[in-house]
Every structure is written in C-alpha cells, then in structure tokens.
Amino acid sequence: MKFDDYSINPAIKKALDKLDFKKPTDIQFKAIPPILKGEDVLAIAQTGTGKTAAFAIPVLHKLHERKQYAREDGIKCLVMVPTRELAIQITEVFQTLGKHTRVKTFSVFGGVEQGPQIAKLEDGIDILVATPGRMFDLVSQGYIRLERVEILILDEADHMLDLGFIRDIRDLMKFLPRKRQTLFFSATINEHIKDLAYSLVSKPIRIQVSPKDPVAKNVDHSVAYVGMDDKRFFLERVVQENAGSKILVFVRTKVRAERVHEAMKRVGIVTETLHGDKDQKERLTSLNRFKKGDVKVLVATDVSSRGIDIPSVEYVVNYDLPEVPENYVHRVGRTGRGTHKGKSVSFCSPEEKPILDEIEKFLGKPIKVLEIAKDDYSATIDFSSEAKPDVMALMREHEAKLDSMKKAPKVSNANKKKKKK
Ligand code: ADP
Ligand code: MG
C-alpha cells in the first residue's frame, strides 16, 4: 500500500511526496489506522524504522481536519521526549510533515532562556514537544495549560517511564484531561515497563514489529576484544580504515569523551564531543557540525544514544560498552536508519565482559565476534601514529603550546565561567 491510497489529508500527502516517502514502513502501516481511530497504542519497533512519522502523520491529519472548520485554542497534543536534541528533531518532523497544514508545532526544553519560549507559547500552538524539566517549570508558572490536551505521546517510552522520569510523568498526568488518547513508542521495552504503561491507559492496542531481534536488521554489529588501554589504537584504526565515513563513538563518561578527543587529536584525527557537561549551544553546534559532515567523528555519551536521526552515520563504535543493556540497541541504532545500512563494533575489555554478558542476555543471542589475530593486534598498536610521532605533529604541538602561552589568562578564565552554565 502506498501513502497515495491513504485517506489522509492532501496537505500531508504533499509533504510526504516532497520527502519522497512513498510507502509506509511496517510500523507506520500498523500504527496509523488505530491512531486515526482514536485508540491508545503501545508500539514497539526497531530503531530507524520511522516511528516519528508513524505518530506524526495521523496526529497532524486529525488536528488539521478539525482546524479547517474552527480555530480552537490550546495545546492539543503533547509529545514528551528525553533530550533537548530529540525535542528539536521531532519538532522538525512535525513541522516538515505539517508544512501545508494549519497545525503549529513548537518545542520547549531546558538549557536555554525561557523568555522566547514563553512568547512563542502565547502565539498559540497545537502540538508541543517537550522535555519534562522545562515543561514543568512552565506549567507551574502558568505559561503552559494542558487542559485541552487530547493526545499524549511518549517517545522513547520505556525511558520516559523509567526511574529518572516516571515521577515527572505521573505528575504530568494530573494536569491532563482524563479522557485522552495515549501513545507509547519505543524500540525497547521490558515487562515491568509494559505493565506500567498499561496501568496508565485503557485497553491499548499493542503493536510489535520484529520483536525477536531488537537490533535493526540494517545494522551489521560485532564485538572485538580489546584491552582497555589499547582502545584508542583500535579507534584510530577504525577511523583510518573508514576515512570519509561518519563515525559515532560512544563512551561511558563525559571525562572519557574529552580524553578520547585528546587522544585522537594527538594522532591527527579531528573529533567533536557531545555530553551533558556542555551547554546547550555547544551541544547543538557539535551535533550540527557532525550532521553537516564538517567533522567526521563525534564522541558522545548516552545523552545522544536515543532517537537522534542522522541519516548518513555509517559506523557506530562502542568505545566503552553501555552499562544499561538496552542502550546497546539504541546506540547501534544510530546507524542503519531508514533504508540505509550501517556497521557497528564494540570494544570489550576483559573487565567489561560481565557487561557484555548482560547485553547478550538482553538481545537473546550472542553478538558476532570480530576475531583479531595476535599479529594484527600488535600491528594495530605499532602502526599508530602515536607510537611513531612524526616531526610535523611534534611541531604542531609545539606551536599550539606557544600559542596558548601567548593568550592572556583572563580570556581563558572567562571561557571557563561561560562553559559552566
Ligand atoms: P525511529 O524513531 O523508528 O528510530 P525515525 O522516525 O527517526 O526512526 O526515522 C528514521 C529515518 O527513516 C528518518 O530519516 C526518516 O526520514 C526515514 N523515514 C521514515 N518514514 C519513512 C518512509 N515511509 N519512507 C522512507 N523513509 C522514511
Ligand atoms: Mg524515534
């Protein structure tokens, strides 16, 4: 079935056409009809299979059809997401698909000034995409009213219902009308979270696409046994062997992200970092530079493991294994999106073996092992530019040092202060 055959408003079809979306993906095919009917839906489908449009298309259709007859005020659909980057991305999808409709979508998230967000809210919007923190601030100050909300969507639902967010979500429910449609979307879910989701809604329709393997079929993923201290040499090798490809590297902590950045710099590889210690502007700048391809390697923590859609990421490297097993699925799912294929490798050190066991238990099967012959292993280290520092690199380092000595200390202090906020 093609989108042409759907009874969705032509305004939305026009946008789908422009995006070159001809056929619905599996999850879209299954989720759009019940959402149009007003059912509650719990939808589980692998990463990169088009879950955003699966809820955006029917919601835009419903709101647009109504708006053709009467202008109603107030937020009618609320989409809750875990990160600011995801709030921005999902807002863009609604705005692109809703370009020819009268439906207005806007997002609020923390880390930036409140003023401009409030001004925009006062213009009147139909769909609000939000992270919980900033939204509650604005609700409690009376800038956001939720009594007209008819549709509540939790994207990355298992994460939104997990420990960090569940209290916020329960509090949120108090502000929403009892009679409403609730939609949960995620790539992963466990029994506990499923029960919790069911307790929040009445008789949801459950849609599950390819439940046996939570890793998307477009991702070719494997694990390589690498000593903790050797990881940087192997990352260097992956980058060299995939020159020109966009590579997303996940590390365990913010400190490690900066360390990997430095280690790569020493061997002449430019990387950007993305983690929670950066302010919002810096986070967006890093992400955009990577999106545009100005920098080919992005080193990130789990803040960007969920939902982020950068279509041409060819390689995901788990420099460190994720401590939460389902994050493995989300991380490797940053590649192989839509119709694209992707590759992923995880570096597992001996001390991380128990984490690998947990991940494999979660996946329900072992991860393919990338065998590295002994000679090959030592060659990777020997051939590193770090092992044989070239004269040019040494000179560059020396120049950089001189440069930083020339700079007035005041400047660097001011920078530090700014970074903290
Ligand atoms: P998910 O939320 O399932 O991880 P997204 O909604 O972010 O996935 O979509 C993944 C990619 O697939 C996006 O780049 C999106 O533009 C593309 N996509 C979504 N639906 C379709 C479709 N029907 N046809 C072609 N591409 C699509
Ligand atoms: Mg998504």
Side-chain angles (χ1 to χ4, degrees):
M1 189 155 158
K2 291 187 180 148
F3 279 124
D4 279 347
D5 309 323
Y6 276 69
S7 53
I8 44 178
N9 193 280
I12 298 165
K13 284 189 178 169
K14 196 169 158 188
L16 286 166
D17 210 42
K18 184 86 198 294
L19 283 170
D20 209 24
F21 287 11
K22 296 196 169 63
K23 267 172 44 189
T25 62
D26 283 356
I27 188 65
Q28 289 161 4
F29 179 74
K30 288 186 178 151
I32 291 173
I35 297 176
L36 285 173
K37 265 197 241 152
E39 311 267 14
D40 289 339
V41 168
L42 169 69
I44 309 299
Q46 295 161 320
T47 55
T49 55
K51 292 188 286 294
T52 320
F55 57 76
I57 293 169
V59 166
L60 283 165
H61 170 83
K62 291 206 297 190
L63 298 186
H64 177 63
E65 293 258 301
R66 270 213 337 235
K67 263 195 133 175
Q68 292 189 318
Y69 306 105
R71 225 218 104 89
E72 290 163 81
D73 292 319
I75 297 163
K76 287 174 243 27
C77 171
L78 176 64
V79 188
M80 300 298 293
V81 297
T83 62
R84 303 152 192 182
E85 285 81 3
L86 200 47
I88 294 170
Q89 178 183 306
I90 289 186
T91 304
E92 279 170 5
V93 173
F94 272 105
Q95 287 172 343
T96 309
L97 287 170
K99 192 167 172 232
H100 309 287
T101 69
R102 301 181 199 192
V103 183
K104 285 200 227 160
T105 307
F106 181 62
S107 56
V108 297
F109 46 83
V112 293
E113 274 185 50
Q114 219 177 247
Q117 295 184 342
I118 294 168
K120 185 79 196 178
L121 285 168
E122 280 165 359
D123 279 358
I125 56 159
D126 304 295
I127 299 172
L128 180 69
V129 184
T131 55
R134 174 57 57 92
M135 205 199 62
F136 282 113
D137 289 349
L138 295 174
V139 168
S140 61
Q141 294 168 50
Y143 293 114
I144 294 180
R145 302 179 56 149
L146 299 173
E147 63 261 21
R148 297 267 171 89
V149 170
E150 297 160 26
I151 308 167
L152 168 68
I153 303 173
L154 301 190
D155 192 28
E156 303 296 335
D158 59 332
H159 192 45
M160 300 306 292
L161 294 175
D162 210 348
L163 297 174
F165 286 117
I166 183 65
R167 273 197 49 187
D168 284 350
I169 298 296
R170 280 200 193 282
D171 285 347
L172 165 77
M173 300 283 181
K174 293 180 204 145
F175 292 99
L176 296 174
R178 269 180 172 273
K179 198 171 154 299
R180 58 156 197 272
Q181 184 177 18
T182 308
L183 313 174
F184 301 101
F185 277 82
S186 188
T188 53
I189 196 136
N190 63 39
E191 286 305 317
H192 168 68
I193 299 286
K194 208 179 277 170
D195 290 347
L196 194 58
Y198 283 145
S199 77
L200 297 173
V201 295
S202 56
K203 294 199 200 108
I205 307 256
R206 191 172 134 199
I207 301 168
Q208 198 149 352
V209 178
S210 316
K212 267 182 242 111
D213 192 351
V215 176
K217 63 176 189 308
N218 288 357
V219 185
D220 174 16
H221 62 123
S222 51
V223 59
Y225 293 105
V226 174
M228 192 56 100
D229 295 333
D230 299 334
K231 287 183 174 183
R232 63 183 191 280
F233 302 116
F234 283 87
L235 177 60
E236 183 186 346
R237 182 169 164 183
V238 170
V239 175
Q240 307 294 14
E241 283 179 357
N242 296 277
S245 297
K246 264 192 205 164
I247 303 175
L248 179 53
V249 182
F250 283 106
V251 292
R252 196 165 39 83
T253 63
K254 306 160 188 172
V255 174
R256 280 178 72 74
E258 292 303 329
R259 264 194 217 148
V260 171
H261 170 75
E262 288 303 322
M264 289 303 109
K265 200 157 120 192
R266 282 200 297 274
V267 295
I269 294 171
V270 184
T271 66
E272 275 284 348
T273 59
L274 182 62
H275 52 68
D277 261 2
K278 293 197 148 184
D279 69 30
Q280 192 50 35
K281 223 171 129 202
E282 290 172 313
R283 271 166 68 164
L284 284 178
T285 309
S286 298
L287 192 63
N288 282 335
R289 271 171 55 81
F290 182 59
K291 261 190 190 163
K292 277 199 271 162
D294 294 346
V295 56
K296 297 287 187 190
V297 184
L298 180 69
V299 184
T301 58
D302 275 320
V303 287
S304 40
S305 67
R306 278 188 182 251
I308 297 300
D309 183 52
I310 306 171
S312 53
V313 173
E314 282 113 334
Y315 222 113
V316 170
V317 177
N318 282 316
Y319 193 86
D320 299 316
L321 289 181
E323 275 161 350
V324 181
E326 59 261 36
N327 279 357
Y328 179 85
V329 171
H330 295 283
R331 285 176 173 194
V332 303
R334 292 319 97 211
T335 185
R337 303 185 65 75
T339 52
H340 296 258
K341 298 247 178 272
K343 270 177 122 177
S344 169
V345 65
S346 300
F347 296 161
C348 177
S349 67
E351 52 270 59
E352 290 176 298
K353 186 67 175 55
I355 306 180
L356 180 65
D357 294 342
E358 283 297 310
I359 293 169
E360 292 185 330
K361 209 164 95 190
F362 177 79
L363 300 180
K365 56 172 147 190
I367 301 169
K368 185 171 72 185
V369 178
L370 201 73
E371 301 286 355
I372 309 171
K374 249 196 175 147
D375 301 354
D376 202 15
Y377 193 106
S378 43
T380 302
I381 297 169
D382 293 344
F383 287 129
S384 165
S385 319
E386 193 182 309
K388 47 171 177 66
D390 63 18
V391 180
M392 288 307 285
L394 281 175
M395 277 178 60
R396 274 200 302 274
E397 216 167 89
H398 184 65
E399 269 167 25
K401 254 188 211 149
L402 281 178
D403 252 14
S404 67
M405 277 161 71
K406 272 188 224 151
K407 272 187 194 149
K410 254 188 196 162
V411 176
S412 60
N413 272 345
N415 272 346
K416 253 185 209 155
K417 255 187 209 151
K418 226 167 108 196
K419 256 185 194 155
K420 258 195 169 163
K421 174 62 218 157

